[in-house]
Amino acid sequence: MKTMLSQIDLVIECRDYRVPLTSRNPMFEASLSGRERLVVYTKRDLGSNDEDKDIRREEIITHWHQPSPVLFSDHRDKKDIRKILSLARTHALSKNTLTGSRMMIVGMPNVGKSSLLNSLRKVGVNKGKVSQTGAQPGVTRKIGTGVKIVEGEESGEGIYLLDTPGVFVPYVPDAESMLKLALCGSVKDTIVPPTTLVDYLLFHLNLLGPDVYADYHSPTNEVLQFLDAVARKTGRLQKGGIPDLEGAALWIIQRWRNGHLGRFVLDEITEDALERRKSDVEGLGGSMNQAKKAEKEGRRERSRLRHMDAG
């Protein structure tokens, strides 16, 4: 990727709307320093209800990135896609080159880069998808050839966009960050046990309001009881009528990922949140294994808080 940057006019960095802080990759901050960049927060439809608090959150995030432009996008919304295409055209015209404009799309695994590229191509030049997409990370394995997203005019060849594999963060600073990334699908579902992810998700669902899962269970903090009820309600039973808790957990995770269990953001967004995040991760080194070990500490802490609330 670094070797190709000299040929790139604009970098489109994708981040997940549901985790605007956690899907920030420090590696990009270093490698893209000094490059012209557009930051696109994907999957807005899964995190926003278009309420005042959502608008205020987007204002704060936009301020973080000044002077770089920021857009919030649902790849299925043509209006959102046209905004990105319009900005790309404006940027290309400012370069005034006869050979066309070359842009690159980057981001964390499974953040929606390929889906966005396919939508840009469909709306921009009315052609079918060229990048394979999937529910699990790692579908894009290598940097692709340039894909035309805007037709050229008399003075140029148009705009071409290069898809790239997702780049995971070099370290995970804490257990909760790993849970957020896993819940959003940036790591494979085999990395963190699905029951653990649902335990974390249930914590957030209760903050939102337990009515969101009322079809499956009354208000609860007990994840195993919740999954038992979900398994029975959805017919996920093993031999002898034993509830398949893991199967129920995976199903619940997908329901949330698809926007059927509330639309909300996992990161807490404040004006100083970005600077605090940078400070928290500065100097940290670590691995996925370390984060998985730390995850146990996070579970114990959440359990302690729940018991305090119950008391």
Side-chain angles (χ1 to χ4, degrees), residues 115 144 238-239 276 279:
S115 295
Q238 298 173 323
K239 188 176 181 180
R276 285 191 285 109
S279 177

Side-chain angles (χ1 to χ4, degrees), residues 45-118:
D45 53 307
L46 300 179
S48 172
N49 296 292
D50 289 318
E51 297 176 349
D52 289 344
K53 63 179 181 180
D54 299 311
I55 296 171
R56 176 55 182 156
R57 182 193 310 117
E58 292 176 12
E59 290 174 349
I60 292 173
I61 293 172
T62 299
H63 181 72
W64 286 349
H65 294 287
Q66 290 180 346
S68 296
V70 177
L71 292 173
F72 303 91
S73 169
D74 167 9
H75 75 271
R76 295 168 298 184
D77 189 325
K78 290 185 178 181
K79 181 177 66 174
D80 289 350
I81 298 304
R82 290 191 182 104
K83 288 180 182 178
I84 300 173
L85 288 170
S86 176
L87 194 148
R89 287 192 189 95
T90 300
H91 188 275
L93 287 173
S94 70
K95 297 299 179 183
N96 193 27
T97 173
L98 296 176
T99 58
S101 181
R102 300 295 186 271
M103 300 181 181
M104 177 184 286
I105 191 166
V106 303
M108 292 272 283
N110 209 25
V111 79
K113 300 181 302 298
S114 297
S115 295
L116 179 59
L117 186 151
N118 288 331

